[in-house]
């Protein structure tokens, strides 16, 4: 979070993807998933909802122009020649760090949770510069930046300049960053640690600052979602929600309160989408319910809640919820299709249950559940007759005793 409060550049590897990803990428990610997402307010009603991004406020600003540069300085490409100078950060050979300019000692290393500022230069393997940032600021350990940076910057000493060689796994992965970073691209990062300071007290943030900070975390979650890294997406949405829900010693205007609630609802909706991807149905249902507590008519939350219940086989509960969503937006083709599918599944489920009851009763011709048939069982009538006869006999004996006593 830059101290200026400005939104980070989405083209930066530190912030890459904090701006949202392209709709086409999102559609490709969800192509094999049985989960469609509703459109944002104001979007073209004629669009096919299945092609829309699965998250709130997703879109990609243009990437920065590619820049040619000289090969990395001071041994950036000679890892094989002097492996003893490289630190294998994770022990798997996929992330390495090499000191170019020593810093001020181990005690000057930053701590997780602090805001750090670095100078960054990112290059492809052929030396092409894909990003330069003279003062990139982020919260260490919050996954605000590429994992390669988040893992390695905490190993830097103040004033140290280092090279970081990272495989795609800790950068942009299989998705890359169109158009300047190809899929599965390794990066070389030249990093200098400029400053480290404690993060601001959330209680003292103004309404505008809190909104900006929460939105940056939410947008980072959107980036991870587009990269199909749903665990880190959930982490970012959780951080955003903690920021929104934190206590404050500053008074907010009604407009700021409304905007904070809007950020909260978006985070919860996106959190539910991420939880669904991981089959965390109970957590996703809770997220949907929290949205509906604030906005009972939120179509996305209703739709996702219906999807969660359907995934659990609770068709009887899911159908009314989807009907409520359809009532709010009768022209929505996605809800229509999902509701039709669930009605059919529910009918099939009932047919299976009916057949099961028939087998349990040993009567293939019986079409009703056991509760409706038990009075027709062959042993039920004799027992009823016997109980009735016994009751009459006992009543007669009692009456005889009363008459005898009176006489």
């Amino acid at each position: 979070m830059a101290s200026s409060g400005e939104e980070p550049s989405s083209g930066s590897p530190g912030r890459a993807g904090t701006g949202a990803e392209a709709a086409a990428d999102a559609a490709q990610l969800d192509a094999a998933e049985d989960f469609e997402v509703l459109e944002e307010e104001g979007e073209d009603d004629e669009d096919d909802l299945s092609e829309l991004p699965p998250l709130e406020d997703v879109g990609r600003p243009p990437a920065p122009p590619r820049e040619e540069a000289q090969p990395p300085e001071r041994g950036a490409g000679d890892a094989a020649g002097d492996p003893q100078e490289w630190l294998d950060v994770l022990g798997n050979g996929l992330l390495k760090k090499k000191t170019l300019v020593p810093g001020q000692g181990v005690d000057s290393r930053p701590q997780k949770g602090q805001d750090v500022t670095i100078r960054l230069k990112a290059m492809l393997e052929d030396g092409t510069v894909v990003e330069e940032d003279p003062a990139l600021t982020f919260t260490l350990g919050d996954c605000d930046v590429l994992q390669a940076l988040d893992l390695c910057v905490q190993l830097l000493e103040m004033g140290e300049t280092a090279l970081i060689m990272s495989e795609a796994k800790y950068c942009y992965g299989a998705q890359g960053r169109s158009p300047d970073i190809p899929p599965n691209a390794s990066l070389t990062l030249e990093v200098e640690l400029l400053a480290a300071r404690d993060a601001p007290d959330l209680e003292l943030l103004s309404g505008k600052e809190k909104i900006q900070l929460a939105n940056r975390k939410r947008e980072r979650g959107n980036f991870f979602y587009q990269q199909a890294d749903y665990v880190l997406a959930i982490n970012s949405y959780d951080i955003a929600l903690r920021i929104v829900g934190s206590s404050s010693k500053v008074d907010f205007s009604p407009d700021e309160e409304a905007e904070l609630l809007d950020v909260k609802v978006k985070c919860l909706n996106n959190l539910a989408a991420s939880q669904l991807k991981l089959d965390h149905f109970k957590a996703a249902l809770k997220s949907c319910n929290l949205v509906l507590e604030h906005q009972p008519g939120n179509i996305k939350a209703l739709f996702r809640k219906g999807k969660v219940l359907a995934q659990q086989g609770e068709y009887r509960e899911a159908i009314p919820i989807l009907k409520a969503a359809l009532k709010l937006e009768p022209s929505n083709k996605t809800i229509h299709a999902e509701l039709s599918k669930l009605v059919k599944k529910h009918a099939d489920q009932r047919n299976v249950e009916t057949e099961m009851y028939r087998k349990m009763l040993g009567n293939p011709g019986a079409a009703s559940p056991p509760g409706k048939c038990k009075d027709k069982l062959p042993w039920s009538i004799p027992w009823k007759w016997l109980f009735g006869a016994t009751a009459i006999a006992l009543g007669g004996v009692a009456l005889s005793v009363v008459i005898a006593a009176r006489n």
Side-chain angles (χ1 to χ4, degrees):
M1 69 198 87
S3 57
S4 64
E6 297 179 356
E7 289 295 328
S9 168
S10 63
S12 165
R15 301 292 190 191
T18 54
E21 299 298 304
D25 292 342
Q28 183 178 4
L29 277 178
D30 277 1
E33 297 289 340
D34 185 21
F35 187 74
E36 306 296 338
V37 182
L38 306 185
E39 61 188 352
E40 289 290 296
E41 293 183 4
E43 291 178 341
D44 188 351
D45 291 339
E46 297 179 358
D47 287 343
D48 180 358
L49 297 184
S50 64
E51 297 301 319
L52 293 177
L55 299 177
E56 308 267 7
D57 298 340
V58 175
R60 182 199 292 276
R66 295 179 60 158
E67 177 183 343
E68 296 300 326
Q70 298 297 322
E73 300 174 3
R74 295 183 59 176
D78 60 352
D82 52 357
Q84 70 280 4
E85 296 184 23
W86 289 87
L87 172 65
D88 189 347
V89 176
L90 299 175
N92 58 9
L94 303 181
L95 182 63
K96 298 179 181 180
K97 169 189 171 290
K98 179 180 181 180
T99 299
L100 300 181
V101 178
Q104 300 173 11
V106 174
D107 292 340
S108 66
R109 289 178 177 175
Q111 303 297 316
K112 286 186 178 180
Q114 287 188 312
D115 284 353
V116 297
T117 301
I118 63 172
R119 176 183 62 80
L120 175 66
K121 183 177 181 180
M123 296 154 281
L124 299 176
E125 289 181 301
D126 63 3
T128 301
V129 175
V130 291
E131 190 62 37
E132 284 190 281
D133 194 326
L136 172 63
T137 301
F138 60 94
T139 304
L140 192 60
D142 270 12
C143 300
D144 290 346
V145 291
L146 298 180
Q147 283 186 279
L149 286 174
D150 220 15
L151 292 168
C152 291
V153 168
Q154 55 190 293
L155 302 177
L156 296 182
E157 301 170 2
M158 190 59 60
E160 178 181 349
T161 299
L163 282 178
I164 299 170
M165 295 184 64
S166 175
E167 296 295 322
K169 179 178 181 179
Y170 303 111
C171 295
Y172 291 92
Q175 304 301 320
R177 187 187 72 184
S178 178
D180 55 345
I181 299 179
N184 299 308
S186 299
L187 291 181
T188 297
L189 311 173
E190 183 178 300
V191 182
E192 179 184 2
L193 179 58
L194 302 176
R197 59 184 178 278
D198 291 338
D201 188 342
L202 295 179
E203 291 187 337
L204 302 179
L205 292 179
S206 68
K208 182 179 179 180
E209 290 171 332
K210 182 172 282 193
I211 291 166
Q212 288 177 336
L213 180 58
N215 268 326
R216 283 201 291 270
K217 305 297 185 180
R218 177 180 63 83
E219 289 168 2
R220 188 62 182 168
N222 291 359
F223 165 72
F224 284 126
Y225 188 100
Q226 300 298 339
Q227 298 292 324
D229 196 334
Y230 306 117
V231 173
L232 290 182
I234 288 172
N235 177 73
S236 293
Y237 295 136
D238 280 339
I239 294 173
L241 288 169
R242 286 202 299 270
I243 293 169
V244 171
S246 62
S247 60
S248 179
K249 297 178 180 178
V250 180
D251 293 331
F252 299 154
S253 69
D255 287 345
E256 289 171 337
E257 292 282 5
E259 196 167 350
L260 281 169
L261 178 59
D262 182 62
V263 175
K264 179 178 181 179
V265 166
K266 288 179 177 179
C267 286
L268 286 170
N269 262 332
N270 294 353
L271 183 62
S274 302
Q275 291 162 336
L276 269 170
K277 291 291 187 181
L278 298 174
D279 294 339
H280 295 171
F281 300 128
K282 184 177 180 180
L285 186 61
K286 180 180 178 181
S287 298
C288 292
N289 285 334
L290 288 172
V291 173
L292 295 172
E293 285 180 10
H294 297 291
Q295 297 179 359
N298 188 290
I299 295 177
K300 283 192 173 183
L302 287 170
F303 182 77
R304 287 196 174 110
K305 182 175 181 178
K307 289 289 293 187
V308 171
L309 293 171
Q311 293 279 8
Q312 295 177 300
E314 303 291 344
Y315 303 127
R316 186 189 301 272
E317 290 78 10
I319 289 172
I321 293 171
L322 290 180
K323 285 183 177 179
L326 189 61
K327 186 176 181 180
L328 293 170
E329 196 170 313
S331 62
N332 193 298
K333 296 179 182 178
T334 302
I335 302 177
H336 267 293
E338 184 64 24
L339 186 56
S340 298
K341 184 170 65 176
L342 289 191
V343 169
K344 183 179 183 304
K345 286 184 176 180
H346 188 215
D348 293 342
Q349 185 184 60
R350 294 181 64 182
N351 289 337
V352 171
E353 291 175 351
T354 300
E355 184 63 25
M356 180 183 68
Y357 292 145
R358 290 175 179 175
K359 292 180 179 179
M360 289 173 60
L361 295 173
N363 183 2
S368 300
K372 296 182 180 180
C373 301
K374 60 183 180 180
D375 289 340
K376 299 180 182 180
L377 294 177
W379 46 264
S380 61
I381 294 177
W383 276 107
K384 285 185 176 181
W385 179 86
L386 179 61
F387 288 147
T390 303
I392 292 172
L394 290 175
V397 171
L399 181 60
S400 300
V401 170
V402 170
I403 293 174
R406 286 180 177 179
N407 293 332

